[in-house]
């Protein structure tokens, strides 16, 4: 009996111990994760950064034109390794050759047509494998093009009609912009890419810079050893980071062909709330003393222009956009022109339902300067990071859509919301 009582006592004590332990255990702190935004575009013109002698060599091979950033971005990309078929039915790969020239043309391109005659002279003095790829054009259209120019297709070039796989590579991997484009590959890597119509002299320069005196990665590094291509990032690269679904949503919002461009230009960039150039002025509106109070907020900057004090409808429309029950903050930014928006607003009986600042008054410098072309335009900021823009606001309903796109948990500027692979 004594041992049975001891056993019961021990069980009771064990239950009490577990209960006390669970009561005194610290609650786990919630894990707060910081949102990762899509990497922003960076406006660096690489051609202006490189050594002058190299710049001159590149320009000579690029038909006298400055090299654009996207051309630099092509360098060192892997060659296309899919199977191609020429217009005679012969199959091959670009990677079959240690070095090869790929000329990208179209039957609809007048510059490509003019370049045909020069091509004969070039091939007469060079035996480098040359692939002429018509990204637009069937076999019959290609033959007809040559006949219209009074030419037969040279035996020593490989002519390829449109190919879906190569088309995807050129558009998605290399992101070519124009016809004709002439690309050199050596050891399965892009070594040069000339844009537009080129003459025989430029073709010779291309051979040299593409196969002999190559551009090295060291040629494209700054004083800290960082590649200029890594310091620069185009709007197209930002666009490519968005999922197909989010791109469709952005295009659906766009009613003036500028919301998408401005969104991609700003997305992911930081908004500096603490740098000012203009002093306080009695002439221009400024309802805010401490802008840093907005740094951790969801914020919409709404840009508008008021010609005179009769334009009260503009004020009423913007007020309709604001949801007083939302945690989103608003600031109206007045554009000043020949007529003073500040004076027009001060002369109205109507007022905005949020603070107002003028671009010529005391406000952070980078609240403005990114190119507003229509009013009203809204720029969206999530805790100090630009997430999007809606130009030429059409209606309160579409503005709500913009709020969902740029300031909700489904924000298209969040990396986590763009994990769906591109189609």
């Amino acid at each position: 009996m004594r041992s049975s009582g001891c056993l019961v006592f021990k069980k009771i004590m064990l239950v009490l111990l577990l209960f006390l332990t669970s009561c005194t255990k610290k609650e786990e702190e919630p894990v707060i994760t910081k949102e990762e935004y899509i990497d922003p575009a960076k406006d660096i013109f690489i051609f202006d950064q490189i050594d002058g002698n190299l710049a001159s060599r590149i320009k000579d091979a690029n038909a006298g034109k400055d090299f654009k950033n996207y051309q630099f971005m092509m360098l060192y990309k892997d060659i296309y390794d899919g199977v191609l078929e020429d217009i005679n039915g012969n199959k091959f790969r670009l990677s079959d050759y240690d070095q090869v020239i790929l000329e990208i043309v179209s039957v609809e391109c007048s510059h490509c047509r003019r370049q045909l005659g020069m091509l004969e002279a070039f091939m007469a003095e060079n035996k480098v494998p040359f692939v002429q790829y018509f990204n637009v054009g069937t076999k019959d259209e290609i033959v007809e093009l040559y006949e219209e120019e009074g030419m037969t297709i040279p035996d020593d070039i490989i002519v390829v009609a449109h190919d879906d796989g190569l088309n995807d590579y050129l558009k998605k991997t290399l992101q070519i912009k124009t016809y004709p484009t002439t690309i050199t590959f050596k050891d399965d890597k892009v070594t040069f890419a000339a844009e537009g119509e080129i003459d025989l002299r430029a073709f010779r320069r291309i051979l040299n810079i593409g196969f002999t005196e190559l551009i090295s990665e060291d040629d494209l590094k700054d004083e800290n050893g960082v590649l200029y291509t890594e310091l620069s990032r185009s709007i197209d690269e930002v666009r490519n980071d968005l999922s197909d679904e989010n791109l469709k949503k952005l295009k659906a919002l766009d009613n003036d062909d500028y919301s998408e461009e401005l969104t991609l230009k700003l997305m992911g960039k930081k908004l500096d709330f603490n740098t000012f150039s203009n002093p306080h002025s009695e002439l221009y509106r400024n309802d805010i003393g401490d802008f840093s109070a907005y740094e951790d907020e969801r914020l919409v900057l709404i840009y508008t222009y008021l010609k005179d004090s009769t334009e009260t409808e503009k004020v009423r429309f913007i007020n309709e956009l604001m949801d007083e029950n939302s945690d989103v903050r608003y600031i109206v930014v007045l554009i000043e022109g020949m007529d003073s928006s500040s004076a027009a607003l001060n002369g109205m009986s109507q007022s905005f339902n949020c603070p107002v600042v003028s671009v010529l008054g005391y406000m952070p410098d980078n609240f403005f300067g990114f190119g507003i072309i229509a009013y009203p335009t809204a720029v969206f900021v999530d805790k100090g990071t630009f997430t999007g823009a809606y130009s030429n606001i059409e209606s309160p309903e579409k503005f709500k859509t913009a709020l969902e796109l740029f300031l909700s948990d489904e924000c298209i500027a969040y990396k986590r919301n763009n994990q769906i692979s591109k189609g």
Side-chain angles (χ1 to χ4, degrees), residues 43-253:
D43 304 321
I44 296 173
F45 191 41
I46 299 172
F47 189 78
D48 286 343
Q49 312 299 320
I50 62 176
D51 175 77
N53 290 330
L54 176 61
S56 179
R57 289 178 58 223
I58 289 175
K59 193 168 184 175
D60 280 346
N62 197 44
K65 302 185 294 291
D66 292 356
F67 222 48
K68 296 177 181 175
N69 279 5
Y70 86 93
Q71 291 171 274
F72 281 107
M73 297 298 184
M74 289 191 208
L75 299 178
Y76 323 122
K77 293 284 180 68
D78 290 335
I79 198 169
Y80 177 67
D81 198 34
V83 176
L84 298 171
E85 183 176 317
D86 69 19
I87 58 174
N88 297 315
N90 301 307
K91 295 185 178 181
F92 72 101
R93 297 176 187 266
L94 292 174
S95 56
D96 292 340
Y97 305 99
D98 293 334
Q99 55 187 38
V100 61
I101 297 174
L102 176 67
E103 184 193 40
I104 302 132
V105 291
S106 163
V107 294
E108 299 171 350
C109 166
S110 59
H111 296 284
C112 305
R113 185 182 289 265
R114 286 197 294 267
Q115 202 158 279
L116 291 178
M118 181 277 306
L119 187 57
E120 279 191 317
F122 174 75
M123 294 307 297
E125 63 181 43
N126 297 285
K127 298 305 176 187
V128 177
F130 192 102
V131 177
Q132 185 179 52
Y133 168 61
F134 284 83
N135 200 39
V136 177
T138 64
K139 176 181 177 179
D140 290 343
E141 290 171 333
I142 295 166
V143 172
E144 184 180 350
L145 173 66
Y146 269 93
E147 288 175 350
E148 288 174 355
E149 294 302 308
M151 298 172 59
T152 56
I153 298 174
D155 293 332
D156 47 1
I157 71 171
I158 303 166
V159 180
V160 178
H162 176 85
D163 178 89
D164 288 341
L166 184 53
N167 171 69
D168 287 347
Y169 167 78
L170 295 173
K171 288 188 173 180
K172 294 180 180 179
T173 302
L174 299 190
Q175 298 183 19
I176 67 161
K177 308 291 184 188
T178 188
Y179 303 123
T181 293
T182 306
I183 301 175
T184 56
F185 298 91
K186 184 179 175 67
D187 298 329
D188 297 339
K189 300 287 183 183
V190 175
T191 53
F192 196 74
E195 178 192 75
E197 185 179 348
I198 53 181
D199 57 19
L200 186 57
R201 179 179 177 275
F203 250 120
R204 291 171 182 148
R205 299 291 192 277
I206 289 171
L207 279 182
N208 177 268
I209 202 167
F211 298 133
T212 307
E213 298 179 25
L214 279 65
I215 302 169
S216 73
E217 287 198 343
D218 287 338
D219 291 328
L220 303 180
K221 290 180 179 177
D222 67 6
E223 65 276 7
N224 298 315
V226 179
L227 283 167
Y228 292 119
T229 51
E230 294 177 1
L231 296 175
S232 176
R233 179 169 159 82
S234 70
I235 284 177
D236 283 340
E237 290 176 279
V238 177
R239 180 185 285 107
N240 286 338
D241 282 349
L242 291 175
S243 69
D244 289 338
E245 182 183 358
N246 284 338
L247 269 178
K248 287 177 184 176
K249 291 178 181 178
L250 181 56
K251 289 180 185 297
L253 175 73

Side-chain angles (χ1 to χ4, degrees), residues 34-42 263 265-275 295-296 299 301 364-368 370 379-388 413-415:
K34 188 176 181 180
E35 285 293 353
E36 273 195 277
Y37 301 93
I38 281 178
D39 296 327
K42 297 177 185 177
T263 291
K265 181 179 177 181
L266 293 176
M267 184 178 283
K269 291 183 177 179
K270 298 298 181 184
L271 176 57
D272 179 3
F273 287 88
N274 301 297
T275 301
E295 285 181 326
D296 294 321
L299 172 66
L301 303 173
D365 291 348
N366 67 348
F367 265 39
F368 191 59
F370 27 76
V379 172
F380 301 82
V381 184
D382 181 52
K383 300 178 181 64
T385 299
F386 288 109
T387 55
Y414 294 164
K415 285 186 176 181

